[in-house]
Amino acid sequence: MTSSNLDAASLVSMYRQMRLIRRFEERTAELIDAGEIRAHAHLYIGEEAVAVGVSAALNTQDITTSTHRGHGHILAKGGDPMRMFAELMGRKAGYNRGRGGSMHIADLGLGIFGANGIVGAGAPMACGAARMFKNRGEPHVAVPFFGDGAMNQGVLLESLNVAAIWDLPVVFVCENNQYAITSPIAEMSRGSLAERAAAFGLKAETVDGMDAAAVFEAATRLVDRARAGDGASFLECRTYRFEAHNTALRASDLTYRTAAEIERWRERDPLTVLAQRLDAEDGWAQGDQAAVDAEVNAEIEDAIERAGESPRPSADTALDHMYAQTYPGFPAGVSE
Ligand SMILES: Cc1ncc(C[n+]2csc(CCOP(=O)(O)OP(=O)(O)O)c2C)c(N)n1
Ligand SMILES: [Mg+2]
């Protein structure tokens, strides 16, 4: 038995999802260095427990919006690693046919309303989706992920307000990794982020964002509440990115934070925290962790191989797909 509401199988499944994200990101960095991905990426390494803990509380009809650091959110909600690698590698099999890259990946069928390079911009999108759920009387929930830096974006504060006054089924998930690029939170925000959300009239909680089980339990409470019609809430997840802001800034990572600080947080690596919980509670048998890791590594290598087999779009199609031919609000066949 485990000490939480989660059974061992669910904990193992969350471990597997976190391992998948970790491996996806490690290989992404390697493919960038090898020139197979000709762009930079914002890696999510260290923050996996947030995406996985929250997404485990959601189903396909619930929607998420994401950020510039979006790979973890997309994979946690069921995104296809092959189509993600293909997108990063500029291949036709990619989510955006290889034309969008890391910050434009979306999968509407899975309720993934997309990564987003505009800081804070996912929050009003989530409020719009939530308004639709409410108008239709559907029991679904919208979850925008965003960082501590986004908490000073006007549009995010407007979203907190509109979600509060309309009692929208939104769970705002703030990934407080303590930095916005190189700016430490102490220089950018005063007071507590959760208290700021509470002042808008939202139910607000803070959770250890390195512990996937704790994130899952908090998210479940808030999602259930939203589903039941009890309105919007805010979950601040205390976390840390182990890597530089993005792969282009790796060389300057230690100019604004110390190696010792990174090391302290690495001791609470979310994969280790969950593995230790499974060890302590006899949640898995000897060798299970190594077996899951090997399975995930094979899945990722297979995804990379299949992505690499897909061709690059030809140059003479560069202007294709620039404009929508039909507006989704119009009946089929009507273009405006
Ligand atoms: C509207 C807008 N302003 C500024 C930027 C530049 N920018 C990209 S990431 C980032 C920092 C975001 O910090 P945070 O929200 O804490 O997310 P983190 O990178 O820590 O995950 C900024 C300012 C942007 N992309 N969009
Ligand atoms: Mg941040």
Side-chain angles (χ1 to χ4, degrees):
M1 275 301 289
T2 62
S3 60
S4 72
N5 294 330
L6 284 162
D7 59 20
S10 307
L11 289 175
V12 172
S13 158
M14 290 206 297
Y15 174 86
R16 189 184 192 288
Q17 283 286 90
M18 292 203 292
R19 177 60 72 188
L20 185 79
I21 296 169
R22 176 69 55 95
R23 193 68 191 144
F24 183 95
E25 298 286 65
E26 289 169 349
R27 293 293 282 121
T28 293
E30 288 172 9
L31 292 168
I32 288 171
D33 291 340
E36 297 287 340
I37 294 173
R38 296 181 199 168
H40 284 286
H42 302 81
L43 302 180
Y44 195 61
I45 294 178
E47 305 187 31
E48 294 92 342
V50 180
V52 168
V54 170
S55 298
L58 302 176
N59 58 47
T60 307
Q61 284 159 306
D62 300 320
I63 71 99
T64 57
T65 65
S66 175
T67 67
H68 52 287
R69 203 176 298 292
H71 304 159
H73 309 138
I74 293 158
L75 287 167
K77 203 156 190 301
D80 177 352
M82 189 284 286
R83 292 184 69 197
M84 292 172 68
F85 276 123
E87 187 56 37
L88 296 177
M89 294 159 83
R91 308 292 178 142
K92 274 182 165 177
Y95 266 108
N96 306 91
R97 301 184 176 95
R99 294 150 190 266
S102 169
M103 290 187 278
H104 295 94
I105 297 172
D107 192 331
L108 302 187
L110 292 173
I112 301 168
F113 277 25
N116 201 318
I118 305 170
V119 169
M125 288 168 61
C127 288
R131 182 72 247 183
M132 178 187 72
F133 295 148
K134 194 172 167 112
N135 289 359
R136 291 180 177 173
E138 293 171 350
H140 313 315
V141 176
V143 175
F145 291 97
F146 52 91
D148 47 293
M151 281 298 284
N152 293 323
Q153 281 293 109
V155 74
L156 201 132
L157 302 170
E158 293 169 32
S159 300
L160 296 178
N161 190 55
V162 88
I165 58 171
W166 287 348
D167 284 322
L168 296 181
V170 180
V171 179
F172 292 91
V173 176
C174 179
E175 303 181 313
N176 181 1
N177 65 5
Q178 347 244 342
Y179 291 91
I181 311 187
T182 55
S183 303
I185 187 165
E187 286 177 20
M188 304 306 288
S189 297
R190 287 284 150 84
S192 127
L193 299 180
E195 282 172 18
R196 190 188 296 184
F200 279 90
L202 300 179
K203 179 170 175 55
E205 293 187 20
T206 299
V207 71
D208 175 1
M210 306 307 263
D211 181 346
V215 172
F216 170 79
E217 285 175 355
T220 300
R221 275 195 302 279
L222 300 177
V223 165
D224 287 352
R225 201 177 160 274
R227 236 187 259 300
D230 293 334
S233 57
F234 181 96
L235 184 61
E236 177 191 1
C237 303
R238 294 305 210 77
T239 183
Y240 198 78
R241 66 170 155 75
F242 293 167
E243 302 296 327
H245 172 70
N246 64 30
T247 49
L249 295 177
R250 280 177 288 190
S252 57
D253 195 33
L254 296 181
T255 55
Y256 61 94
R257 57 182 191 167
T258 63
E261 178 183 299
I262 299 171
E263 202 39 51
R264 262 201 316 281
W265 279 91
R266 276 189 182 276
E267 283 165 16
R268 300 214 59 245
D269 184 319
L271 283 158
T272 313
V273 169
L274 192 52
Q276 282 171 346
R277 186 191 278 249
L278 280 157
D279 286 343
E281 297 173 2
D282 287 331
W284 53 16
Q286 193 156 15
D288 277 1
Q289 184 178 3
V292 171
D293 291 356
E295 208 179 278
V296 165
N297 289 354
E299 183 182 337
I300 290 289
E301 293 316 308
D302 176 63
I304 293 171
E305 198 179 312
R306 285 187 294 125
E309 284 164 6
S310 171
R312 294 198 166 88
S314 65
D316 61 351
T317 66
L319 298 180
D320 290 0
H321 317 300
M322 293 288 280
Y323 300 101
Q325 296 304 303
T326 56
Y327 181 69
F330 288 111
V334 178
S335 60
E336 193 59 49

